[in-house]
Amino acid sequence: MSLRLATFNVENLMSRFESVGFRNQTRQDRVLRLFNIRSEAEYQRLEEARTIALTDDARQQSALAIADADADILCLQEVDNMEALQAFEYGYLFKMVGNGYRQQYLIEGNDKRGIDVAVLMREQTLDGQKIECVDVRSHAGATYRDFDIYVPELAPLLPDDRIFKRDCLELDLRIGGRPLTLFVVHFKSMGPGRDGLDGRSSTMPVRVAEAKAVRRIIEDRFGTGNTANKHFAICGDMNDYQEKLVVEGDRRNGYAFRRVVEDRSALDVLTKDGFVENPMLLRPDDDRWTLYHNMGPDDRHLCQLDYILLSPALARRNHTRVPEVIRSGQPYRTIFPPGQAVDRYPRIGWDRPKASDHCPVVMTLDV
């Protein structure tokens, strides 16, 4: 009995406009800088027109990437609300590419921008097994004090602050009558650096706490020491990596790719002692990336931010199954290692339109 499971940060699936660039030029879109805009009202109308035109192209690319993933269960990040999710599912996934998902789950989380995690599910797998959702639970309300995981490095956050910057959405499923539990997450992003630390290091304590909380939720659910034989997966954008491919060189002289293994990662909380396994490690070490990070010629790398982490029992059952990474929606600015080039979807641009800044990850699981 097989199941196609995917995760995808769909990047700003919004149902509202964000027009802050008139007063904050660091947030102003580059195309609007070409025009002499005389008032904030005029700026807002132009920004709305630009957003609508770009969004349709981007969502077509997102839908094509999801169609290529061909998942039975799709875990999404950066979804505005249920209305946006339903409009995207009906207008793009169902009507445009014929990949409809009748079961839809989203609970509002903690993100200040209002972006949430969500799950779309078919009614049955490709081989005809019924997909049932037995229960859905949000853990957005959990605090550091609740799990006794507050450390001084989290300051200025307080012990009674909420752990998850978005949520850990827990879903109890039955696939052809067999149990499977999903934990869908979107960890704290790597913001700007502070106190002499880069963005990844300065935000690391928050992601470490989130990972500890996810582990605690799973251990509380199944019993500490009893998780290895359970069937569960942790899916989502964890905004951290254990290794990266540093991109060196330039277009004129050619590019080189240097693998760097990190000393510390929030993922270590989940993987170092075998609590879960990352099946992406079955891919070549230069072919595990799901995002291209580019802050200039001296700060470019490819890394895995998007994960389907499997419980030991689920990993053993699927020890020969290799995750797929859907990269045809990547913009042309993404620098691919040798031999990994793909045919992009129609109308993909240099950095936009694109399916997302992230790549969908999907794998076929025997459950």
Side-chain angles (χ1 to χ4, degrees), residues 74-298:
L74 177 64
C75 305
L76 295 174
Q77 299 86 49
E78 295 200 14
V79 179
D80 196 2
N81 49 44
M82 182 59 80
E83 291 74 18
L85 182 65
Q86 291 174 336
F88 174 63
E89 189 278 334
Y90 179 70
Y92 292 85
L93 299 183
F94 176 64
K95 294 188 73 173
M96 194 184 95
V97 298
N99 279 11
Y101 293 86
R102 299 290 294 275
Q103 302 186 69
Q104 303 160 5
Y105 301 94
L106 181 150
I107 297 176
E108 296 292 332
N110 298 322
D111 189 272
K112 293 179 180 178
R113 292 179 57 219
I115 53 175
D116 300 306
V117 299
V119 177
L120 295 176
M121 304 196 311
R122 299 181 191 268
E123 294 184 299
Q124 62 181 30
T125 65
L126 182 62
D127 57 8
Q129 300 297 323
K130 187 176 181 180
I131 302 174
E132 302 173 85
C133 183
V134 178
D135 194 16
V136 180
R137 288 180 292 279
S138 167
H139 295 279
T143 69
Y144 298 110
R145 191 186 302 277
D146 290 338
F147 289 165
D148 193 25
I149 57 173
Y150 186 82
V151 293
E153 289 78 14
L154 287 164
L157 296 172
L158 301 172
D160 289 318
D161 285 340
R162 294 182 174 188
I163 301 168
F164 294 110
K165 299 303 108 178
R166 284 89 181 186
D167 197 359
C168 174
L169 193 63
E170 180 180 353
L171 295 94
D172 278 333
L173 310 178
R174 294 288 184 272
I175 313 299
R178 298 187 179 185
L180 174 67
T181 305
L182 297 183
F183 301 88
V184 185
V185 299
H186 184 187
F187 285 177
K188 168 69 177 174
S189 60
M190 299 182 224
R194 64 181 177 89
D195 299 331
L197 299 174
D198 61 34
R200 178 172 180 264
S201 299
S202 65
T203 54
M204 179 75 71
V206 180
R207 287 189 299 278
V208 168
E210 289 178 304
K212 288 180 179 179
V214 171
R215 180 163 180 159
R216 173 70 177 273
I217 289 166
I218 295 171
E219 289 175 333
D220 285 352
R221 169 65 192 280
F222 297 119
T224 303
N226 297 321
T227 60
N229 294 319
K230 302 299 182 180
H231 280 192
F232 66 86
I234 308 170
C235 302
D237 173 7
M238 300 190 187
N239 269 315
D240 211 343
Y241 48 84
Q242 293 172 316
E243 61 183 6
K244 63 184 178 183
L245 280 179
V246 175
V247 181
E248 299 171 331
D250 55 40
R251 184 171 181 174
R252 173 174 290 184
N253 298 297
Y255 296 104
F257 301 85
R258 177 170 52 89
R259 181 172 177 250
V260 174
V261 178
E262 298 293 335
D263 294 332
R264 186 186 183 211
S265 169
L267 276 298
D268 298 344
V269 173
L270 300 170
T271 64
K272 284 299 187 183
D273 63 352
F275 180 74
V276 293
E277 296 187 22
N278 180 11
M280 194 76 88
L281 298 181
L282 296 174
R283 296 176 66 93
D285 56 20
D286 68 345
D287 197 16
R288 299 168 183 164
W289 59 274
T290 66
L291 179 131
Y292 173 55
H293 168 90
N294 182 7
M295 296 299 290
D298 297 325

Side-chain angles (χ1 to χ4, degrees), residues 43-61:
Y43 177 89
Q44 184 170 343
R45 289 195 300 272
L46 291 171
E47 177 66 8
E48 290 172 354
R50 183 195 69 82
T51 300
I52 289 171
L54 179 62
T55 296
D56 181 56
D57 276 345
R59 292 311 157 209
Q60 289 190 53
Q61 315 293 349

